[in-house]
């Protein structure tokens, strides 16, 4: 196997000689990834996976011309990549791609220096370095632009957003986070793993008159918001209110005039998708082949792109001091909201997804942000509160209706 060009920065020991959690990290990745679905890992040894993860991690420690850039890699395994489209019935919508590649004529070495150099091009968070497993080892074979963020794609993404951190994802599915020597559960797994939180969000969606079959899409929207909040690394508070018109303090500096919501955009995209599916089915029955791309497909794609854009913008607002509050339709009610702080009520930590194992949650050892989040969750039963620390971990706080205690789930 070809050795990478200076895979580790000079002056540092390789992971094999440095006491780290790397072996546990590899085991955790294997445990959390469904190899049958993520075909990029088929035939990939632990040694290759270790090299892939380690070089990306050390790439995140480096700078290019004295500036740090986020290292973003999409690993396709032994598979080439030109354009990856969703599965039917959406496969005829050419603009609706998952990935588009810019392939190099000749592979480049898979190394820290190569990744930090190419990271400059990925400043918009949608352009990745494409890494492939060739017959003689890992190599950089091009760049890849990320399109629609789906859950069923076969590739994995490795992102080093800031020094000492690593996020491993696949489409919308978070696999795990690695923060300064600690393995953390992905924020996605936290959200989907807490049954009470999931049921609470579904209850909020129903009050917003979201159709039952659209509840998974509503959860996907919330998960995307949580990802965007965790990604900027400044910490913050994100509140999904159970009310259509959340009550905000009179002195709140950034109160918003009601505008379109993520749930509205989702409804429109679903409506266009159903109508377009019926139209193409009728066309296929009539002539034996799918109908060509039409304006309806393009409009639906525009709504999906708008959902991604609004999600990123709302996530960015959580970096501002104070809470970002969305209503039950996931419309922005206000941001930079100073929340009252009291004892926060009775808060217990759930150690499992069903909240069957509960232990006291020590708010005294937490900062003002966590105490404010607990206070809001206690005073607004049914609303879901996410609070992110600057160093990465995310805590979810939620007091179900008619419950006395605030339930808290910690990431990692």
């Amino acid at each position: 196997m070809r050795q990478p060009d200076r895979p580790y920065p000079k002056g540092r020991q390789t992971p094999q000689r440095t006491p780290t959690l790397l072996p546990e990290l590899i085991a955790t990745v294997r445990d959390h990834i469904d190899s049958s679905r993520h075909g990029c890992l088929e035939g990939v040894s632990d040694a290759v996976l270790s090299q892939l993860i380690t070089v990306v991690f050390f790439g995140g420690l480096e700078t290019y011309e004295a500036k740090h850039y986020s290292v973003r890699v999409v690993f396709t395994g032994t598979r080439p990549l030109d354009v990856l489209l969703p599965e039917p019935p959406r496969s005829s919508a050419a603009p609706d791609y998952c990935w588009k590649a810019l392939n190099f004529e000749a592979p480049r070495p898979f190394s820290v220096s190569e990744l930090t150099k190419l990271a400059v091009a990925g400043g918009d968070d949608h352009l990745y370095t494409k890494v492939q497993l060739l017959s003689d080892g890992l190599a950089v074979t091009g760049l890849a632009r990320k399109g629609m963020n789906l859950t069923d794609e076969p590739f994995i993404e490795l992102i080093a957003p800031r020094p000492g951190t690593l996020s491993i994802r696949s489409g919308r599915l978070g696999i795990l986070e690695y923060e300064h020597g600690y393995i953390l559960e992905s924020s996605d797994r936290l959200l989907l793993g807490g049954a009470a939180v999931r049921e609470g969000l579904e209850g909020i969606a129903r009050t917003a008159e979201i159709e039952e079959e659209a509840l998974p899409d509503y959860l996907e929207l919330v998960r995307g918001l949580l990802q965007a909040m965790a990604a900027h690394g400044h910490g913050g508070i994100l509140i999904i209110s159970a009310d259509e018109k959340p009550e905000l303090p009179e002195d709140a500096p950034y109160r918003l005039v009601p505008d379109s919501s993520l749930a509205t955009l989702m409804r429109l995209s679903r409506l266009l998708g159903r109508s377009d599916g019926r139209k193409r089915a009728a066309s296929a029955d009539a002539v034996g082949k799918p109908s060509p791309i039409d304006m309806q497909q393009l409009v639906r794609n525009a709504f999906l792109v708008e959902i991604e854009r609004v999600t990123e913008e709302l996530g960015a607002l959580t970096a501002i001091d104070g809470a970002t509050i969305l209503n039950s339709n996931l419309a922005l009610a206000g941001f930079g909201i100073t929340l009252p702080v009291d004892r926060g009520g009775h808060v217990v930590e759930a150690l499992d997804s069903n909240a069957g194992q509960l232990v006291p949650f020590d708010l005294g050892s937490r900062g003002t942000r966590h105490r404010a989040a607990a206070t809001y969750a206690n005073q607004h039963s049914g609303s879901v509160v996410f609070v992110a620390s600057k160093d990465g971990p995310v805590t979810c706080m939620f007091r179900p209706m008619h419950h006395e205690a605030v339930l808290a789930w910690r990431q990692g």
Side-chain angles (χ1 to χ4, degrees):
M1 179 178 296
R2 181 183 61 204
Q3 294 297 316
D5 176 27
R6 198 171 74 84
Y8 311 114
K10 290 180 179 178
R12 293 192 181 100
Q13 293 177 313
T14 66
Q16 287 80 1
R17 295 167 57 191
T18 304
T20 68
L21 294 179
L22 194 58
E24 295 180 27
L25 180 60
I26 301 303
T28 305
V29 171
R30 292 287 192 191
D31 182 57
H32 285 357
I33 288 182
D34 182 357
S35 298
S36 63
R37 187 175 65 180
H38 298 92
C40 65
L41 293 182
E42 185 178 351
V44 175
S45 67
D46 284 354
V48 171
L49 185 59
S50 176
Q51 182 190 4
L52 174 70
I53 291 174
T54 304
V55 174
V56 174
F57 176 80
F58 277 103
L61 299 177
E62 293 294 290
T63 60
Y64 184 78
E65 295 185 348
K67 185 175 180 180
H68 178 267
Y69 295 90
S70 296
V71 172
R72 295 178 174 270
V73 166
V74 56
F75 178 58
T76 68
T78 58
R79 303 181 179 190
L81 171 62
D82 290 313
V83 178
L84 178 66
L85 298 174
E87 294 297 321
R90 294 165 57 186
S91 59
S92 65
D96 197 14
Y97 64 89
C98 302
W99 290 96
K100 285 199 310 186
L102 301 171
N103 293 312
F104 298 154
E105 287 188 357
R108 298 287 302 167
F110 178 63
S111 65
V112 166
S113 59
E114 196 74 19
L115 294 186
T116 53
K117 182 192 305 181
L118 293 175
V120 178
D124 65 352
D125 294 344
H126 290 282
L127 196 62
Y128 285 61
T129 299
K130 183 166 69 75
V131 175
Q132 191 175 343
L133 180 59
L134 304 180
S135 59
D136 55 349
L138 294 171
V140 175
T141 57
L143 302 174
R145 173 158 288 278
K146 188 175 185 178
M148 300 314 303
N149 200 2
L150 303 181
T151 57
D152 56 354
E153 65 178 60
F155 307 141
I156 61 171
E157 303 158 31
L158 300 95
I159 305 168
R162 53 193 182 275
T165 66
L166 181 68
S167 175
I168 302 179
R169 316 188 50 78
S170 178
R172 287 181 177 171
L173 176 65
I175 297 171
L176 59 82
E177 310 288 331
Y178 187 68
E179 296 269 354
H180 304 290
Y182 292 92
I183 301 173
L184 307 176
E185 288 291 323
S186 165
S187 56
D188 302 347
R189 299 177 69 86
L190 168 73
L191 174 60
L192 298 181
V197 177
R198 185 171 61 251
E199 292 170 2
L201 289 170
E202 289 175 347
I204 294 174
R206 291 188 182 98
T207 64
E209 300 182 349
I210 301 297
E211 300 172 340
E212 287 294 318
E213 59 268 26
L215 293 180
D217 289 340
Y218 187 93
L219 295 179
E220 286 292 324
L221 292 176
V222 177
R223 184 165 62 181
L225 291 166
L226 184 57
Q227 293 167 8
M229 178 178 69
H232 57 62
H234 298 287
I237 300 175
L238 175 66
I239 297 172
I240 311 299
S241 174
D243 302 320
E244 182 181 357
K245 296 181 179 180
E247 183 179 349
L248 303 181
E250 290 296 331
D251 60 350
Y254 303 109
R255 303 163 64 96
L256 272 292
V257 176
D259 199 357
S260 61
S261 67
L262 282 174
T264 299
L265 293 172
M266 178 193 71
R267 286 190 185 98
L268 292 172
S269 66
R270 285 178 59 85
L271 179 63
L272 289 169
R274 286 197 298 265
S275 175
D276 183 56
R278 290 193 296 267
K279 182 191 298 183
R280 282 185 291 179
S283 175
D285 290 340
V287 299
K289 61 180 180 180
S291 62
I293 301 168
D294 61 10
M295 185 59 68
Q296 188 166 294
Q297 292 175 351
L298 296 177
V299 172
R300 180 173 183 272
N301 291 338
F303 279 124
L304 294 172
V305 171
E306 182 69 1
I307 287 173
E308 297 280 352
R309 184 188 66 79
V310 173
T311 298
E312 292 177 0
E313 290 179 352
L314 294 176
L317 288 176
T318 62
I320 296 174
D321 286 342
T324 298
I325 301 179
L326 309 184
N327 72 2
S328 56
N329 265 299
L330 304 183
L332 181 62
F335 64 94
I337 307 297
T338 300
L339 300 179
V341 179
D342 60 20
R343 296 181 61 186
H346 180 43
V347 183
V348 292
E349 180 180 356
L351 301 181
D352 61 343
S353 63
N354 295 317
Q357 302 179 52
L358 301 175
V359 297
F361 188 86
D362 183 14
L363 279 176
S365 63
R366 301 283 166 177
T368 303
R369 182 178 290 162
H370 283 76
R371 294 196 297 272
T375 299
Y376 189 96
N378 183 55
Q379 295 177 352
H380 299 79
S381 62
S383 296
V384 179
V385 183
F386 297 102
V387 53
S389 302
K390 288 185 179 180
D391 56 355
V394 176
T395 301
C396 174
M397 297 186 182
F398 172 61
R399 182 165 75 84
M401 297 289 186
H402 312 301
H403 281 231
E404 295 184 357
V406 173
L407 301 178
W409 283 264
R410 285 194 294 177
Q411 172 187 342

